[in-house]
Structures are given as structure tokens and as C-alpha cells.
Amino acid sequence: MDNLKNIPGWHTPEKLVVFSVDDYGNVRLDSKTARDRLASKGVGLRGRFDNLDALETQQDLEGLLETLSSVTDSYGRHAVFTPYVLSANPDFEAMAQQGAGYSYEPLFRTFERLAIDQAGAYKGAWALWQEGVRLGLLKPQFHGREHLNVEVLERKLKANDEALRINIENHSMAGLSDEPSLPGVGFTHGFGLWDSSEITRHREIIADGLQLFEKMFGFRPETFTPPAQKLHPDLYPFVEGQGVRAIDKPLHCVRRLNRDRTVREFNLLGCRRGQGHVSLVRNVVFEPSNDRTFDSVGHALGQVAAAFRWRKPAIISSHRVNFCGHIEEDNRRFGLDALRELLRSFVQRWPDVRFISADELIERINPTI
């Protein structure tokens, strides 16, 4: 499969490496204390995201920037992450008010609040984010406004869902189940839908999220990876109209169009005839925190070798949870050690490798879009 999936689509003689890393900016767990309270009150925390994932701290960012700058490619450039960023989080204090609906706070407000509430972890974190961008080690792109489905959350609020109430009290969004009235829509699926009438709201959220992103970083994002890669095809032209040049898509998926009506979608890296955006299809997986007994570095190197064999860029799929240590410091140490080993292996095995960001890849694929 590593070879087969790399045969079709855009090719290049360059050995390009792109790190596409999801979930930056998202508040899943507020803290270790919050996680322990959720667990003690019976909220079903499952897997590494519910147990280890928290907003990136000053220590997380320091370690990440040091690791990315520890290697240099033959063009004299350090490794670069393309962090896919959520531009807002729930406003937990506002939602805790009796009878209140959903409301959110921009990401920079989240960092400001946590710099006061948890100064040891978050004081200076937003400044480090900006430093990483200035140094060219981080090139943020758009992951959505928030990593949750607003329709699902509002239905849970209306139903006085106990797990959601406990999460709000602990400034977290972990271990929350799907909503039976919206079949197939997960709580974290920002743009998952059951009925096509929900598309109207998704347009509003995307437009609002992009404006918040531009306000925070000072530029308009060029690529979009929706949470869990759920996005109705009718939104493609809308996203293009918002200035987005590329959409991250799975190689193969089934997309819901309206209730029981679905469509199969096969995606290739590049731009199909008549398509107004570039499709980015990841072809390498690097998830060191998923299973520590698994050789994640060796597995990733094998997939990169297959990509280069077929003259394809290596687009590495990863998540922030691999490199964060606010909940368990050892998780950050393990993930960054694996990342450092992977980066060193790149430059040793392929001296002509080139580190670029996702938006730079788009420019190579189709500079006219």
C-alpha cells in the first residue's frame, strides 16, 4: 500500500518533507487536575487524546522549537512544522452561567487567561508561538474555529448533559459522546453533519474562524484541514472564495451529503481539472505517542522512502498530542526524542532532503491558484 498510494497524483524530483500537525490551539484538557476530576466523576476518558492532550505550554513550545532547529537541510534551512490551528475555544466561564448557550473566546484570549490561571505553564507561551513563526520554524494554517461540533454541543446543553456540565466546570472538552439525534456526527467533528441544512452554519463558522486566524497571526491561511477531515463537498467553493488555496483530504472517504445520502471520494495530491483548489493528501504517519512499543520512527522512514521512490513529497501526518507534556511530562519527552531521531535520519539518509511548509508545497503544485 505504501507504494500503491504514491503512484497517482502530482510528482516532483525534489525530496520534499512537509509536517502537517493537527490540533494546535485546542483546549481538550485544562490540566492534570482537571483530567483527574473528570475521571473521578465518571466521565469516560478513552485513548491518548482524552488523557494526554492539552493546550501547548511554554515548555512544549520551547522543546519543539529546539528540536526543529536541531537539524538543517542541504539548503541551510531548519525543519518546519505546519501546525493546523483552531482559532477559538469554548468560553467556559460564560457557558457556566445558568441557562447560557454556547459561546467562545479567541485563541489569544485563551492564552491570556491561562497565563494568569496557570502562569508556570502558560506565561510567555503566546510570545513563543510568535517567535516560532518569526524564525520560520512554525507556519500555522487553519484547522477550524473550534475542535467541536457546535450543533452537537448545543443539543447537549439543552439536554443538560451531565458529562458536558462536568467538563465545563473543569474547563475541558474530553470524553464526550456523540449525539444520537445526529447519527454519525462525532463531538469533535467540527463540520460533520447529518442534514444538509447544517451547511449554512458551517459557512458562518468557517468565515468567522478565518477572520480570527488572520487577526491573530497577521496573514490569511492558505490551507485548511477540517477536524477529522469532515467537510461537505458543497463547502469546497465557499472555502476557495475565502482565499484558501488547498484542502487537506484523506486518500479515500465516504462523505455524507444529506441524511442517508453519501458519496465516495477518492483524492489525489494535486489539482483536478476544473477544481479551484489543490488537494493535499498525506502519505506518511508519525504518531509516537499512539503506542510506545511500536517503532514509529522506522515506520515513518519506510513510508518516506516509498514516497521518494515514486517522486512524491513526504507529507507527514501527526498531532500535537505527541509533543505536549502539560498532563504527563514524559509524553512530551518521548515524542520530541522520536521527532529528533526522525529528523536526523532524514538528513543522514537523504542529504538532498528539503524541509518546507504546506503552503510552500501548494506554490510548487499550482502557483496559479
Side-chain angles (χ1 to χ4, degrees), residues 169-348:
E169 288 176 356
N170 288 281
H171 292 190
S172 299
M173 284 285 144
L176 291 162
S177 63
D178 301 346
E179 173 58 39
S181 59
L182 295 168
V185 183
F187 185 83
T188 60
H189 298 173
F191 305 107
L193 59 77
W194 166 244
D195 190 281
S196 60
S197 62
E198 297 159 48
I199 293 174
T200 301
R201 192 175 203 181
H202 292 178
R203 287 195 186 97
E204 296 169 358
I205 291 173
I206 290 170
D208 190 29
L210 286 167
Q211 287 183 349
L212 289 172
F213 183 103
E214 186 174 12
K215 185 177 181 181
M216 285 190 299
F217 292 110
F219 63 89
R220 199 80 170 170
E222 297 186 14
T223 70
F224 176 30
T225 297
Q229 296 188 321
K230 304 286 187 183
L231 193 71
H232 196 289
D234 284 2
L235 289 169
Y236 295 164
F238 175 76
V239 170
E240 294 165 6
Q242 295 291 308
V244 173
R245 300 172 64 195
I247 301 173
D248 213 323
K249 303 172 184 173
L251 180 66
H252 168 254
C253 66
V254 177
R255 295 201 186 276
R256 186 183 306 283
L257 298 178
N258 183 36
R259 294 180 175 262
D260 293 328
R261 194 158 67 88
T262 60
V263 62
R264 288 188 180 277
E265 190 176 277
F266 294 90
N267 295 299
L268 307 175
L269 176 64
C271 185
R272 293 181 188 272
R273 184 175 299 172
Q275 181 175 293
H277 64 272
V278 170
S279 296
L280 293 178
V281 180
R282 305 179 187 190
N283 55 359
V284 179
V285 175
F286 180 59
E287 302 282 359
S289 72
N290 193 40
D291 178 358
R292 290 195 181 191
T293 66
F294 181 70
D295 180 12
S296 59
V297 173
H299 183 63
L301 287 172
Q303 293 174 89
V304 172
F308 289 166
R309 185 179 306 127
W310 293 98
R311 302 171 71 226
K312 300 292 285 290
I315 306 176
I316 300 171
S317 181
S318 194
H319 290 81
R320 178 192 63 185
V321 68
N322 295 296
F323 315 109
C324 64
H326 191 39
I327 309 300
E328 290 185 11
E329 191 173 338
D330 190 51
N331 180 69
R332 173 178 62 233
R333 188 180 303 114
F334 184 85
L336 290 179
D337 285 349
L339 176 61
R340 191 175 293 107
E341 181 184 349
L342 183 66
L343 293 173
R344 288 175 179 169
S345 298
F346 283 156
V347 296
Q348 290 171 359

